[in-house]
Amino acid sequence: MRDDAARIRTGTQPAAAPAGGLDPRVSVDLAHLRALEGRARRLTFLPRQPARSVLNGRHASRLRGRGLNFEELRGYLPGDDVRAIDWKVTARTGEPYVRVMTEERDRPSLIVVDQRMSMFFGSKLNMKAVTAAEAAALAAFRILDQGDRVGGIVFGDAEIAEIRPQRSRVALDRFLTALADANGLLRADAPAVDPMPLKNVLRAVARIAPRNHLVIVLSDFDVVDAETERLVAGISRGNDLVLGLVSDPFGEDLPEGLRLVVSDGELQAEIDTGDRAAHRSLRDMASGRLAAILDWQRRFGVPVLPLSAAEATLPQMRRLMGLGAR
């Protein structure tokens, strides 16, 4: 497992055969992710969003766009915006001075993608890990095409790969390679390990993206706690943070009367959803996670993109961003 982690970090992990044969609904490879480039042009991550987009200011939040760089201090000239006056320098010198700012030429973006075993589940169309990987690739292609820097963090239960934002096809390809490699490690017979807490990943996000980044987190948000919430709040204060909540309808609306055998690769347990107490506990766990994420949206002004593994990825992303599914 250590060797796998090292290869993923350096982008040298050998291409893994997709689980379940060549079915892209179960596992994605690098070729599949690269093939999404043309379709990514149907999206936009620019600050000016369509009226119905969840990233628009009429909703929980909006994309603030690129930051400003300080250029110089100079004397006030007639016609200058009084809001640009530097009052501290003005008071010290006795003459009015203004701060000259220019817009950053590009904005760094960091795409964080969950590829833990909790994401290796799907009941209708895709595995959640596939939906997250496709959404990440689509976003990465579009952001780079807009002229912004793009990088990412790809994490599984035992490994994490960091690609710092660059305006470079090489960096984009490293990100896609790390994503395909991490996805290829997901399989039913994978050895059981403790899941990586999301807070560990968010600490890396806070280190790489202290401010003025677009940060997109694509995850089912398994294993969160109070520290996770504090990190989300801190990251959102200095950046544009978007939470892509990836779910499956089976987990949201668990049918009654089923006997399920679940396993962590070593131990097995049988769950009877016909048992009302068991069914209620499972339903409450799923709804509680959704409620926590929506509470972050309300309290921190963080937009949430609810992505379902039961639908094709691009149409639902377009719909959520107010562009129409076609």
Side-chain angles (χ1 to χ4, degrees):
M1 186 62 71
R2 288 182 180 175
D3 290 343
D4 287 335
R7 293 189 185 107
I8 285 177
R9 284 195 297 271
T10 57
T12 58
Q13 172 78 7
L22 298 175
D23 192 339
R25 299 170 301 176
V26 176
S27 183
V28 293
D29 58 14
L30 186 56
H32 177 82
L33 296 177
R34 284 173 172 165
L36 297 173
E37 181 172 6
R39 284 178 269 176
R41 297 189 182 96
R42 304 175 190 174
L43 300 172
T44 176
F45 289 91
L46 293 173
R48 188 179 296 276
Q49 289 284 311
R52 292 178 294 174
S53 171
V54 299
L55 306 182
N56 184 276
R58 296 196 312 168
H59 292 75
S61 184
R62 65 183 180 87
L63 298 185
R64 290 170 288 191
R66 301 179 174 98
L68 296 175
N69 287 325
F70 171 73
E71 289 292 321
E72 62 173 340
L73 275 172
R74 62 165 173 79
Y76 178 84
L77 297 174
D80 283 339
D81 190 338
V82 295
R83 292 174 297 181
I85 293 177
D86 190 311
W87 295 106
K88 289 184 178 179
V89 176
T90 298
R92 189 167 63 246
T93 63
E95 298 288 338
Y97 275 79
V98 296
R99 297 174 65 89
V100 180
M101 310 292 290
T102 58
E103 187 179 35
E104 291 178 341
R105 289 180 296 173
D106 61 7
R107 175 182 57 172
S109 299
L110 193 69
I111 305 173
V112 184
V113 196
D114 189 346
Q115 295 290 289
R116 295 176 294 179
M117 278 302 296
S118 66
M119 299 285 286
F120 193 60
F121 178 82
S123 63
K124 290 191 175 181
L125 181 62
N126 290 336
M127 293 294 195
K128 291 189 292 183
V130 168
T131 295
E134 290 182 340
L138 288 165
F141 279 123
R142 191 65 187 113
I143 289 168
L144 185 64
D145 189 53
Q146 290 170 179
D148 289 331
R149 286 171 279 166
V150 65
I153 296 178
V154 181
F155 67 101
D157 288 308
E159 67 283 326
I160 182 169
E162 298 179 6
I163 298 91
R164 289 185 175 269
Q166 298 179 48
R167 191 166 53 186
S168 161
R169 292 287 304 199
V170 174
L172 173 60
D173 207 55
R174 285 183 57 213
F175 172 64
L176 297 179
T177 299
L179 185 51
D181 291 343
N183 185 266
L185 296 177
L186 297 176
R187 58 185 190 275
D189 61 348
V193 296
D194 292 333
M196 181 181 295
L198 190 59
K199 62 186 177 185
N200 293 6
V201 181
L202 293 181
R203 291 191 197 111
V205 172
R207 170 170 46 82
I208 296 173
R211 62 182 180 86
N212 294 338
H213 282 62
L214 169 62
V215 179
I216 303 173
V217 181
L218 297 160
S219 174
D220 62 358
F221 294 90
D222 189 32
V223 191
V224 299
D225 57 14
E227 185 178 352
T228 308
E229 182 175 295
R230 287 194 295 271
L231 286 163
V232 167
I235 293 168
S236 68
R237 281 194 292 269
N239 302 280
D240 285 327
L241 176 61
V242 178
L243 303 180
L245 176 58
V246 185
S247 63
D248 185 89
F250 192 87
E252 298 173 353
D253 187 18
L254 192 66
E256 295 187 24
L258 295 180
R259 286 187 175 274
L260 306 175
V261 177
V262 297
S263 172
D264 64 0
E266 295 180 0
L267 303 176
Q268 289 188 353
E270 184 176 282
I271 300 175
D272 182 4
T273 63
D275 183 298
R276 290 189 176 182
H279 184 268
R280 184 168 57 251
S281 296
L282 291 170
R283 185 187 59 201
D284 290 348
M285 181 177 67
S287 62
R289 185 182 306 175
L290 175 61
I293 305 306
L294 294 179
D295 186 54
W296 294 349
Q297 177 178 358
R298 178 184 61 81
R299 291 165 54 201
F300 308 138
V302 177
V304 175
L305 290 175
L307 297 172
S308 173
E311 299 181 47
T313 307
L314 179 59
Q316 59 179 319
M317 288 182 70
R318 284 183 54 80
R319 185 174 65 248
L320 289 166
M321 299 175 77
L323 299 169
R326 190 172 62 180

